[in-house]
Amino acid sequence: MKIRCFHCRSLFDSNPRIKNQKYCSKKECQRARKREWQRQKLATDPDYTANQRHCQKEWHKQRPGYYRDYRRNHPESARRNRLLQKYRDTRRRPPRPLAKMDALKPASIKVPGAYYLIPMLAKMDASVQKVVLIPRC
Ligand SMILES: [Zn+2]
């Protein structure tokens, strides 16, 4: 039976041995499947979340200065991350009363000028679909 991949949207032959198959076997689609699984797991399993946090802390302990060095050696990534953090900070603020009403409208640029186009999903995802516009000022 042919089904459409949840990630790349292409049709593929489903494997009858896999229940509720949603992803094709392409490497990037399997990575997307695993990422979604982990996102769900982190949202629903406090033990898993605590274990992940513990492992991350141990990893950081063993590699002091890793991110400082990374930012120094990858200035473009550091700049991109600062912009993305700026965007994440705007999302953390309490929503304005009308914010949700126009959440699904496409972005309109009323002020001509230079903008940064920031892919919403980092390097892990090849098929980027969302971008955020942050004025360059
Ligand atoms: Zn796919």
Side-chain angles (χ1 to χ4, degrees):
M1 190 175 83
K2 292 258 185 208
I3 54 176
R4 194 168 293 281
C5 176
F6 204 72
H7 183 67
C8 70
R9 313 302 302 159
S10 64
L11 286 171
F12 67 100
D13 289 312
S14 66
N15 184 337
R17 282 173 286 184
I18 302 174
K19 263 190 182 177
N20 304 320
Q21 187 176 10
K22 291 179 186 168
Y23 296 84
C24 73
S25 61
K26 282 182 212 141
K27 196 174 180 183
E28 68 263 25
C29 299
Q30 288 300 307
R31 289 178 80 184
R33 180 182 63 78
K34 188 175 179 189
R35 206 166 40 243
E36 179 58 22
W37 177 87
Q38 187 171 37
R39 198 185 65 78
Q40 280 293 321
K41 194 78 174 162
L42 286 170
T44 58
D45 188 339
D47 290 340
Y48 181 80
T49 307
N51 186 44
Q52 287 286 302
R53 198 163 287 153
H54 174 76
C55 288
Q56 285 168 354
K57 278 183 181 172
E58 288 302 309
W59 190 91
H60 284 285
K61 262 188 218 163
Q62 289 166 18
R63 296 162 185 86
Y66 173 85
Y67 283 111
R68 187 195 56 224
D69 295 344
Y70 182 87
R71 285 190 296 271
R72 190 184 302 138
N73 297 329
H74 302 83
E76 195 55 32
S77 294
R79 191 177 64 87
R80 179 179 173 278
N81 189 52
R82 275 194 299 276
L83 288 168
L84 282 170
Q85 187 58 52
K86 210 183 215 179
Y87 171 68
R88 286 189 292 265
D89 289 346
T90 64
R91 292 180 72 194
R92 201 176 297 141
R93 285 184 202 137
R96 288 182 215 135
L98 293 174
K100 281 196 170 177
M101 287 182 72
D102 51 17
L104 295 175
K105 286 181 186 170
S108 63
I109 303 171
K110 290 175 181 139
V111 182
Y115 292 85
Y116 289 109
L117 285 177
I118 301 172
M120 287 307 295
L121 299 169
K123 285 177 188 169
M124 287 177 79
D125 197 323
S127 68
V128 175
Q129 293 158 351
K130 292 182 193 171
V131 293
V132 175
L133 298 173
I134 297 176
R136 272 187 76 177
C137 56

